[in-house]
C-alpha cells in the first residue's frame, strides 16, 4: 500500500443525520465523480491520453471526464445493450464544443461488452475507471476483472469504488436493507473495508507491478466515525508512475493482439464521435507576441478608464514582471520575452513596458471564455441509481 492525497485536498462536504434521515451535501455520487476527476488530473501520472470507463451505465460521468484536456480517447463500456442505446447520444458534442474547440483531439466510443473480456478497444489504456461496478457482477466475472485490467490492459492507474457495508448500520436506522440484504437490488455482495482491502491485496500480490491506496467519500455523521465512508475507493498505480522500478516488463502489444484475437465475446461498437479541435499553426514566437499585444492593450484600456490611479500623462507603464505573469500560459521565459520586445521595437525603460496612448489597439488572439457546462451537465441519478447516493 501507499498513501495518497487528492491534489486539491479533501472535499468540503456535509453529512447531516436527524432522527428521521441522513443526507449528504453534495450527494455521494457527485463526491465520487469529483474524487475520480481529481485523481485522473493529477500531473504525477504524466499524460493520461486514453481512459476506459467500465460500467458507464447512463453515461453521467462522461461530461466531467471529457473536460480533462490531456485525454484524447475515451472508451465507455457497459454490458447493458438497451441502456447504452437509450443514453449513447450523451457523448455527442455540444454547440459550445464547436464554438470553443479543444486544443487536442478527442475520440469517444460507446461499446457494449463485458468488463471481464479482453478486446482491441482496451489496448494502450492509461486509466481505468470502474465506479460502483464490482458489486454488480457474479464471482466468475469478478475473478476475471484483475486479469483483464492488470494483466491485459496494464494501465498507469485504475480507480475502483464500491459500497462500504460497515456504513449500513447507519442506513438501517432509517430504512431496512432490501430483501437481498443489500442497498440495491442488483448488488451481488457488499464488502466491509477489510474485505475490500483483502481484494486489493490479492491483486497486487498477483500483479506486483502495482501498488494501491485506499480512500473514501461520504463522511460518517459525527460520533460514528468508526464506520468509515459510504463509498470506498481503491486507487491502483503502476509502480513506474511512483518512480519505483517495475517487477516485470510490461506486456508487448503483439501479445495483447494475440489475446484479444482469442477472445470469443467481442465488444460491439454502439456509437462513436470525434470532437472538433483547433490546430494552432502559429510559431512559438507568434503565439507569445499575440498574447503580449493582447495584455498590453488590456492594460492600456484599463489605464484610460482609471487615469487618476495610473497617473500616466499619455504614456502607460506596465511592469515587465506583471506582463510576464499574465502570459505564463504560453511558457514564455523572461529572456524570451525580452528578445521579443526588442525584435518588435517595443519601448522598455527601467523594468517597464512603455505604451503610448496613440498606439493602435491590436488584439490578435482570442481570449473569450464562453459559458461552458461543467458539473451542471451531470444529471441527478435516474431510477436505476442506488437510493443511498441521493441526499
Amino acid at each position: 500500500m501507499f498513501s495518497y492525497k487528492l491534489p486539491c485536498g479533501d472535499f468540503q462536504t456535509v453529512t447531516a443525520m436527524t432522527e428521521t434521515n441522513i443526507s449528504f451535501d453534495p450527494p455521494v455520487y457527485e463526491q465520487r465523480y469529483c474524487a475520480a476527476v481529481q485523481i485522473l488530473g493529477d500531473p504525477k501520472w504524466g499524460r493520461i491520453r486514453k481512459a476506459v470507463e467500465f460500467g458507464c451505465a447512463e453515461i453521467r460521468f462522461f461530461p466531467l471526464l471529457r473536460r480533462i484536456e490531456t485525454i484524447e480517447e475515451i472508451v465507455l463500456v457497459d454490458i447493458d445493450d438497451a441502456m447504452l442505446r437509450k443514453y449513447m447520444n450523451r457523448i455527442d458534442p455540444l454547440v459550445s464544443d464547436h464554438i470553443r474547440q479543444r486544443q487536442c483531439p478527442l475520440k469517444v466510443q460507446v461499446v457494449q461488452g463485458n468488463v471481464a473480456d479482453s478486446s482491441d478497444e482496451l489496448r494502450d489504456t492509461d486509466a481505468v475507471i470502474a465506479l460502483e461496478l464490482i458489486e454488480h457482477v457474479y464471482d466468475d466475472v469478478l475473478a476475471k476483472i484483475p486479469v483483464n485490467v492488470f494483466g491485459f490492459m496494464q494501465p498507469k492507474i485504475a480507480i475502483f469504488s464500491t459500497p462500504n457495508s460497515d456504513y449500513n448500520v447507519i442506513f438501517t436506522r432509517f430504512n431496512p436493507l432490501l430483501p437481498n440484504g443489500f442497498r440495491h437490488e442488483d448488488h451481488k455482495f457488499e464488502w466491509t473495508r477489510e474485505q475490500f482491502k483483502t481484494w486489493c491485496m490479492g491483486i497486487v500480490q498477483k500483479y506486483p507491478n502495482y501498488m494501491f491506496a485506499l480512500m473514501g467519500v461520504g463522511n460518517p455523521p459525527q460520533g460514528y466515525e468508526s464506520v468509515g465512508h459510504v463509498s470506498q475507493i481503491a486507487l491502483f498505480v503502476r509502480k513506474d508512475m511512483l518512480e519505483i522500478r517495475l517487477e516485470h516488463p510490461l506486456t508487448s502489444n503483439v501479445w495483447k493482439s494475440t489475446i484479444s484475437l482469442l477472445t470469443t465475446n467481442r465488444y460491439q461498437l454502439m456509437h462513436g464521435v470525434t470532437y472538433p479541435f483547433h490546430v494552432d499553426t502559429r510559431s512559438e514566437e507568434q503565439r507569445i507576441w499575440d498574447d503580449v499585444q493582447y495584455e498590453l492593450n488590456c492594460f492600456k484600456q484599463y489605464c484610460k478608464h482609471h487615469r487618476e490611479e495610473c497617473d500616466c500623462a499619455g504614456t502607460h507603464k506596465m511592469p515587465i514582471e506583471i506582463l510576464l505573469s499574465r502570459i505564463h500560459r504560453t511558457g514564455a521565459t523572461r529572456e524570451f520575452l525580452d528578445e521579443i520586445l526588442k525584435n518588435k521595437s517595443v519601448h522598455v525603460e527601467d523594468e517597464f513596458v512603455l505604451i503610448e496612448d496613440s498606439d493602435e489597439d491590436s488584439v490578435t488572439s482570442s481570449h473569450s471564455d464562453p459559458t461552458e457546462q461543467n458539473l451542471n451537465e451531470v444529471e441527478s441519478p435516474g431510477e436505476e441509481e442506488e437510493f443511498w447516493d441521493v441526499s
Side-chain angles (χ1 to χ4, degrees):
M1 289 184 64
F2 72 100
S3 178
Y4 179 79
K5 292 188 179 296
L6 296 173
C8 298
D10 293 333
F11 303 126
Q12 298 298 314
T13 64
V14 176
T15 300
M17 186 171 73
T18 66
E19 293 184 359
T20 57
N21 74 339
I22 184 170
S23 61
F24 306 91
D25 185 21
V28 176
Y29 80 95
E30 282 191 15
Q31 296 182 38
R32 193 163 47 239
Y33 287 176
C34 289
V37 167
Q38 279 204 47
I39 294 170
L40 291 165
D42 194 329
K44 68 175 59 175
W45 321 133
R47 183 179 178 86
I48 298 295
R49 192 194 68 82
K50 179 177 179 179
V52 173
E53 183 191 6
F54 289 115
C56 64
E58 298 172 5
I59 313 183
R60 291 200 196 94
F61 181 57
F62 169 73
L64 300 180
L65 181 60
R66 77 185 188 92
R67 295 294 178 185
I68 302 175
E69 280 289 337
T70 64
I71 294 180
E72 297 183 3
E73 185 174 358
I74 297 173
V75 180
L76 305 173
V77 185
D78 204 282
I79 200 168
D80 191 328
D81 179 270
M83 182 175 291
L84 291 180
R85 291 185 184 278
K86 182 177 181 181
Y87 296 107
M88 63 186 183
N89 289 328
R90 287 184 172 179
I91 70 170
D92 292 345
L94 305 171
V95 173
S96 60
D97 293 311
H98 293 273
I99 296 174
R100 186 182 184 185
Q101 298 184 358
R102 292 172 54 91
Q103 297 301 307
C104 61
L106 176 62
K107 175 185 177 182
V108 186
Q109 291 181 311
V110 176
V111 298
Q112 189 272 333
N114 192 321
V115 63
D117 293 334
S118 303
S119 187
D120 278 342
E121 291 87 349
L122 305 181
R123 290 171 56 184
D124 302 318
T125 297
D126 295 311
V128 168
I129 308 104
L131 304 180
E132 309 298 282
L133 169 68
I134 58 175
E135 67 274 10
H136 291 272
V137 304
Y138 290 104
D139 288 346
D140 59 334
V141 175
L142 182 65
K144 294 177 181 178
I145 290 176
V147 179
N148 189 25
V149 173
F150 303 103
F152 176 73
M153 299 174 71
Q154 299 179 317
K156 294 178 178 179
I157 62 171
I159 306 168
F160 288 87
S161 76
T162 193
N164 167 26
S165 65
D166 292 331
Y167 208 103
N168 288 350
V169 67
I170 303 294
F171 287 128
T172 53
R173 292 167 59 94
F174 313 106
N175 293 292
L177 296 174
L178 298 181
N180 64 359
F182 303 126
R183 302 178 191 175
H184 189 270
E185 60 185 8
D186 189 51
H187 285 186
K188 309 303 186 291
F189 62 84
E190 288 177 3
W191 280 339
T192 64
R193 286 165 291 172
E194 193 60 34
Q195 288 173 313
F196 189 41
K197 181 179 178 180
T198 299
W199 182 71
C200 297
M201 290 289 291
I203 289 175
V204 297
Q205 288 172 4
K206 186 175 181 180
Y207 301 98
N209 276 349
Y210 287 87
M211 299 178 69
F212 74 94
L214 295 174
M215 64 198 82
V217 292
N219 289 330
Q222 188 174 2
Y224 292 85
E225 289 78 9
S226 63
V227 302
H229 296 88
V230 174
S231 185
Q232 47 192 340
I233 298 173
L235 166 63
F236 292 88
V237 179
R238 210 172 63 203
K239 287 183 176 179
D240 54 332
M241 297 297 102
L242 301 172
E243 299 184 348
I244 301 174
R245 183 177 180 180
L246 294 177
E247 299 290 333
H248 305 290
L250 297 177
T251 304
S252 68
N253 276 332
V254 174
W255 183 86
K256 290 182 180 180
S257 297
T258 303
I259 294 297
S260 62
L261 288 173
L262 295 175
T263 301
T264 55
N265 299 319
R266 309 291 295 175
Y267 282 9
Q268 178 187 357
L269 177 63
M270 307 292 291
H271 186 42
V273 298
T274 300
Y275 274 64
F277 70 100
H278 172 69
V279 178
D280 194 342
T281 59
R282 295 174 297 170
S283 66
E284 181 183 23
E285 181 177 353
Q286 187 60 50
R287 286 190 296 105
I288 294 176
W289 173 237
D290 287 347
D291 268 26
V292 167
Q293 290 183 93
Y294 175 82
E295 296 299 341
L296 293 178
N297 187 50
C298 287
F299 184 80
K300 181 173 70 173
Q301 297 303 321
Y302 176 85
C303 289
K304 282 184 176 180
H305 292 87
H306 300 81
R307 292 186 181 275
E308 66 283 354
E309 297 178 19
C310 297
D311 190 26
C312 51
T315 300
H316 312 291
K317 296 182 178 181
M318 183 176 191
I320 291 183
E321 287 304 317
I322 291 181
L323 174 59
L324 186 62
S325 69
R326 297 286 296 174
I327 64 170
H328 73 278
R329 59 188 172 275
T330 66
T333 63
R334 173 61 191 268
E335 293 74 19
F336 198 37
L337 175 59
D338 288 342
E339 183 179 349
I340 289 178
L341 294 175
K342 180 180 178 180
N343 292 341
K344 299 297 182 179
S345 301
V346 177
H347 300 298
V348 178
E349 182 180 294
D350 297 331
E351 296 296 304
F352 288 90
V353 178
L354 305 185
I355 314 167
E356 300 295 335
D357 250 345
S358 58
D359 289 350
E360 294 183 3
D361 295 347
S362 55
V363 182
T364 58
S365 54
S366 172
H367 291 256
S368 60
D369 186 16
T371 301
E372 296 181 349
Q373 290 175 294
N374 41 44
L375 269 174
N376 293 327
E377 290 183 19
V378 182
E379 299 187 11
S380 298
E383 295 179 357
E384 292 91 349
E385 191 78 16
E386 287 105 348
F387 69 86
W388 48 271
D389 260 348
V390 187
S391 62

